[in-house]
Amino acid sequence: MGTRPALALLDILRGEGVDRVFGNPGTTELPFLAALSQTENAPEYVLGVHEGAVVAMADGYARATGRPAFVSLHVAAGLANGLIGLLNARRSRTPLVVTAGQQDRRHLQQDPMLSGDLVTLAAPAVKAAYDIQHAHDLPLALRRAFALAVRPPAGPVLLSIPMDVLTEDTEVEIPAPTPAPPPGPAPGIERAAVLLGGAARPAIVAGDGVGREDALGALVRTAEACGATVHHQPMADCLNFPTTHPLYAGMLPPRHDAIRAALAPYDVLLIAGAHAFTPHHYTPGPALPPGLTVVQLDSDPDEIGRNFPAEAGLVGHLDPSLHRLADLLRDRVPDRTAKGRMLRAGERHAVERDRVESAARAAYSPAPIAPWAAAHAVARGLPPGAAVVEEAITVGLLLRRLVRLDSPGSYTHTVGGGLGWGIGAAVGRALAEPGRPVVAVLGDGSALFGLQGLWSAARQSAPVLFVVMGNGAYRTLQDAYEAMGGQGPCPGSDLGSLDFTRAAGFFGVDAVRAESAQHLRELVAGAGELTGPLLVDVPIRP
């Protein structure tokens, strides 16, 4: 027996575990909204007042829950507003299923207002896009979208659905879901064990695939089994290795010359779940130093050998693959050798950590606060179990060197680079993990792009601490301008003095200005006691 199209859509959403719809509706979504209002146990509709915030909330929610989030956008204009979030999601490999309501098919040829080629518009920002022209195609396409969104490489999938498709006077069949096969270790692990086990100076680059696939514990076992020094991939999106571990050497800088220098001391390198090292600024030459033997492991076969040759290229789910590799390495590397390497690495890394810690503490002062001190205040103020959502650009680079985190999901960023993600992503994470303190660390320039997300934070009473680092400029642009030898002030980079407490008040969010680094630390420490959103405006020294 069949089901009406709009109700079939809801049935599939419930079956796929969707408990929230993130959206900003228009007339083309009215049939869907009607079905939501008339259905028991329907997903909650989470309203955003701009599609950028809508997609960012869904992004944060999907990362926290580990399953695709569902987004509802409105025609060409709404999709265009949401594209920045979809670009971020694609780069960060966040699984989203997105519907965009199209105008009624019966007058599409007349070019009605707000209509457009939604599939072509979305194509660069999504894994796949489907143009639904018949009601009986909708259930199959929707099932396909959920499966494709999580298949490596994960990402957003779009369905363009004309308004009248959902109101067709017909019944459609709902296909049953197909369980995904259980993940297994990659073939060829034995070869990887031979290479790493025979290394004199092994190292590992912990890519974002480790965090996405919940393989952090497995990577720790692998690193400890051979005593390999571990670096985060450049501009890592999540915590892929505990920053408290003695083998942890910090994040690789996002430039090929700096990566090459950092990796020069090693003879064998395991690259686990990293997307091609993603440089930011161009520097000549390859990322890897000559003579380095590379073992590359990824769940996405397209990553193997993508930007550099690998002696052993392995395709498989990271968690079972790394556990198997750790077992093999324990048979090949003497325990005393691995522990000796870890002891020496821990001593080196402790010296660097102490140096950074001392410099940051020495910078404490009343506002305006030095960037090092602001980053330190946040890092040391974090309550136990906190999740950091970071879009602070310049201060964020300092924060990464100071945080002491060891639990999965405790640090989130987007390598997509589309500003305005942080506020919405933090709201989405708070909705997904009630009871977990969420601290969003934002640059003032980034916050300006996503202010509308504060409306949803207030509407949802999301207990998020928004920490806005206000240096009054696009500081990273000014730094790059100076590095390239620019003369005089950098045009178009000065934001001036901004009062974010007033912006927060407009959206109904409580706010306070940090009076000193110590005051900021105390405010961050109280994040776990929040019952609603609070914004902290932090004046930063230029």
Side-chain angles (χ1 to χ4, degrees):
M1 186 174 180
T3 305
R4 295 290 176 174
L7 295 177
L9 190 157
L10 283 178
D11 282 349
I12 292 175
L13 294 188
R14 285 196 297 265
E16 294 286 351
V18 172
D19 54 5
R20 285 182 168 90
V21 173
F22 297 91
N24 181 273
T27 52
T28 55
E29 286 68 58
L30 286 176
F32 176 58
L33 299 179
L36 276 175
S37 68
Q38 297 163 17
T39 302
E40 292 186 6
N41 301 317
E44 175 190 352
Y45 195 99
V46 179
L47 177 63
V49 292
H50 187 278
E51 291 83 358
V54 166
V55 180
M57 284 192 291
D59 187 308
Y61 194 78
R63 295 202 204 189
T65 61
R67 61 177 186 267
F70 184 75
V71 180
S72 175
L73 302 178
H74 174 54
V75 293
L79 174 58
N81 282 339
L83 281 179
I84 188 170
L86 296 180
L87 286 165
N88 284 337
R90 185 167 190 186
R91 293 285 292 191
S92 292
R93 302 191 173 186
T94 305
L96 303 177
V97 174
V98 184
T99 59
Q102 177 62 284
Q103 276 280 13
D104 193 305
R105 290 170 300 174
R106 290 168 295 188
H107 69 168
L108 266 179
Q109 288 300 318
Q110 301 171 44
D111 193 23
M113 185 172 64
L114 299 176
S115 66
D117 186 347
L118 305 188
V119 168
T120 299
L121 180 63
V126 297
K127 282 186 68 176
Y130 301 106
D131 186 13
I132 308 304
Q133 288 296 308
H134 304 284
H136 60 259
D137 290 333
L138 177 60
L140 181 62
L142 192 56
R143 282 276 189 233
R144 187 183 299 165
F146 274 97
L148 184 58
V150 298
R151 189 177 304 143
V157 179
L158 176 93
L159 279 71
S160 168
I161 307 177
M163 178 180 182
D164 57 308
V165 164
L166 295 181
T167 60
E168 275 191 22
D169 187 16
T170 186
E171 293 187 343
V172 297
E173 297 297 326
I174 301 176
T178 301
I189 291 290
E190 294 76 11
R191 173 64 174 157
V194 169
L195 294 171
L196 275 172
R201 301 177 306 280
I204 296 173
V205 172
D208 287 326
V210 175
R212 283 194 304 268
E213 298 179 28
D214 199 19
L216 188 147
L219 187 62
V220 170
R221 286 193 66 226
T222 300
E224 291 178 348
C226 62
T229 299
V230 181
H231 292 269
H232 262 116
Q233 74 168 68
M235 304 308 298
D237 265 358
C238 48
L239 188 78
N240 305 311
F241 197 81
T243 65
T244 55
H245 199 284
L247 287 171
Y248 182 63
M251 184 189 78
L252 292 174
R255 301 189 324 274
H256 279 181
D257 60 347
I259 295 170
R260 198 163 57 243
L263 298 180
Y266 311 117
D267 59 346
V268 180
L269 177 69
L270 169 63
I271 301 172
H275 174 57
F277 286 3
T278 313
H280 186 194
H281 300 295
Y282 171 77
T283 54
L288 302 184
L292 182 63
T293 297
V294 174
V295 176
Q296 189 176 9
L297 169 65
D298 209 287
S299 56
D300 178 9
D302 287 343
E303 284 299 326
I304 304 301
R306 178 186 176 94
N307 280 5
F308 36 75
E311 182 74 17
L314 313 177
V315 179
H317 196 277
L318 269 62
D319 187 63
S321 300
L322 289 169
H323 275 303
R324 176 63 178 151
L325 180 57
D327 291 339
L328 293 172
L329 286 171
R330 290 196 183 280
D331 294 335
R332 288 187 166 274
V333 181
D335 187 57
R336 65 181 181 276
T337 300
K339 287 184 176 178
R341 290 170 178 169
M342 186 158 62
L343 179 63
R344 291 189 295 274
E347 290 172 347
R348 293 194 306 272
H349 300 155
V351 169
E352 174 61 16
R353 282 196 292 266
D354 289 346
R355 185 188 68 79
V356 172
E357 181 81 13
S358 297
R361 284 183 177 277
Y364 269 47
S365 73
I369 305 170
W372 269 114
H376 184 275
V378 171
R380 297 296 167 267
L382 290 172
V388 177
V389 177
E390 181 262 304
E391 194 186 19
I393 317 301
T394 49
V395 174
L397 290 174
L398 308 179
L399 182 64
R400 288 171 184 266
R401 297 178 64 180
L402 289 162
V403 288
R404 302 287 179 260
L405 301 172
D406 54 17
S407 62
S410 55
Y411 199 96
T412 312
H413 173 75
T414 180
V415 75
L419 299 185
W421 166 88
I423 293 177
V427 174
R429 180 162 284 274
L431 293 176
E433 298 183 294
R436 183 176 194 178
V438 177
V439 178
V441 184
L442 314 163
D444 49 2
S446 301
L448 287 173
F449 275 79
L451 276 179
Q452 296 93 336
L454 293 177
W455 184 93
S456 295
R459 177 73 167 260
Q460 296 291 325
S461 297
V464 177
L465 185 73
F466 298 101
V467 181
V468 181
M469 303 291 185
N471 57 22
Y474 293 128
R475 184 66 238 181
T476 189
L477 180 62
Q478 292 180 348
D479 290 346
Y481 180 75
E482 293 168 8
M484 66 179 289
Q487 300 298 312
C490 178
S493 63
D494 184 22
L495 299 176
S497 179
L498 299 166
D499 187 347
F500 279 89
T501 63
R502 295 176 65 186
F506 173 78
F507 289 107
V509 173
D510 290 339
V512 62
R513 178 162 291 182
E515 298 173 355
S516 66
Q518 183 60 37
H519 184 213
L520 172 59
R521 183 169 175 169
E522 293 166 0
L523 290 167
V524 173
E529 306 302 319
L530 294 177
T531 57
L534 174 67
L535 184 144
V536 181
D537 192 352
V538 184
I540 297 292
R541 293 181 193 169

